Amino acid sequence: MQVYTRIMEMPCYCTQLRQATRRLSAVYDDALAPLGINVAQYALLRRIHRNEPVSLTRLGSLCDLDRSTVGRNVRVLERLELAISTRGSEDQREAMIQLSEGGRDLLQQAVPVWEATQQAVAARLGPQRVEALEDLIAAI
C-alpha cells in the first residue's frame, strides 16, 4: 500500500496532457461546429488537400494513424460529401483520397475560423506560454 501511495503523489503527465488536449480540442470544435466539422476532421481535410491525391496508407503515415483508423475517418468525410476515393492508377488495390468540390469549399470557409481560433488561443496563453508549448510538443 505504501508504494501505491508514493506513486500516486506524482502527477501523471500523460493524463494531464490528455485532459489539456481535450480542453483545447473543445475550443477548436466549438469554433468549427457551425461548419459541421470538428478539429480532427478539419486537420484531415487539410492533410488531404496538401497531399492529394493521397493513398490511405500514406495519409495514415502523415497523420500518425494506422491505415484502418484513417480509413474510418475518411469514410466519415465521404459520408459528409467532403472527400472522394478512387482507385490508384498504378495499383488498383490502393484507395486514393482527394477532396470533393464541397470539401474544397468547406476547407476554404474553415481556414479563417481555424486561424481566428489559433490567434485566440495564442492570445489567451501569451507569447511565453506559446513558445513553451511549442518547445514541449517538439520535445515529445
Side-chain angles (χ1 to χ4, degrees), residues 11 30 34 43-44 49 51 71 77 83-85 96-97 105 108 111-112 124 129 131 134:
D30 289 346
L44 189 55
H49 182 257
N51 296 280
L77 295 181
I84 55 176
S85 65
M96 301 300 289
I97 310 304
D105 292 344
Q108 188 173 1
V111 168
R124 181 175 172 185
R129 286 189 177 136
E131 185 177 342
E134 290 170 351

Side-chain angles (χ1 to χ4, degrees), residues 4-137:
Y4 178 75
T5 303
R6 184 174 52 83
I7 291 173
M8 293 307 292
E9 291 172 9
M10 273 180 50
C12 175
Y13 304 127
C14 184
T15 299
Q16 289 180 325
L17 188 56
R18 288 173 56 114
Q19 289 171 334
T21 301
R22 283 192 295 274
R23 288 192 303 266
L24 187 57
S25 291
V27 171
Y28 286 86
D29 287 347
D30 289 346
L32 292 166
L35 298 174
I37 59 172
N38 61 38
V39 70
Q41 292 163 334
Y42 170 77
L44 189 55
L45 288 170
R46 281 183 58 162
R47 190 78 67 168
I48 293 168
H49 182 257
R50 288 182 185 148
N51 296 280
E52 65 185 337
V54 62
S55 71
L56 278 178
T57 302
R58 174 79 176 129
L59 187 57
S61 175
L62 292 167
C63 296
D64 280 333
L65 296 170
D66 62 60
R67 189 181 185 285
S68 62
T69 300
V70 81
R72 284 190 299 274
N73 294 344
V74 165
R75 279 193 292 282
V76 171
L77 295 181
E78 288 176 321
R79 280 195 300 275
L80 294 171
E81 299 182 354
L82 302 175
I84 55 176
S85 65
T86 58
R87 292 289 161 207
S89 58
E90 294 178 21
D91 184 350
Q92 292 291 310
R93 297 170 296 173
E94 184 66 74
M96 301 300 289
I97 310 304
Q98 60 189 45
L99 296 185
S100 66
E101 197 60 41
R104 290 179 204 292
D105 292 344
L106 182 72
L107 187 57
Q108 188 173 1
Q109 294 172 47
V111 168
V113 173
W114 179 87
E115 288 173 343
T117 306
Q118 187 85 343
Q119 290 172 356
V121 169
R124 181 175 172 185
L125 293 176
Q128 290 178 323
R129 286 189 177 136
V130 167
E131 185 177 342
L133 178 60
E134 290 170 351
D135 289 346
L136 174 65
I137 292 167

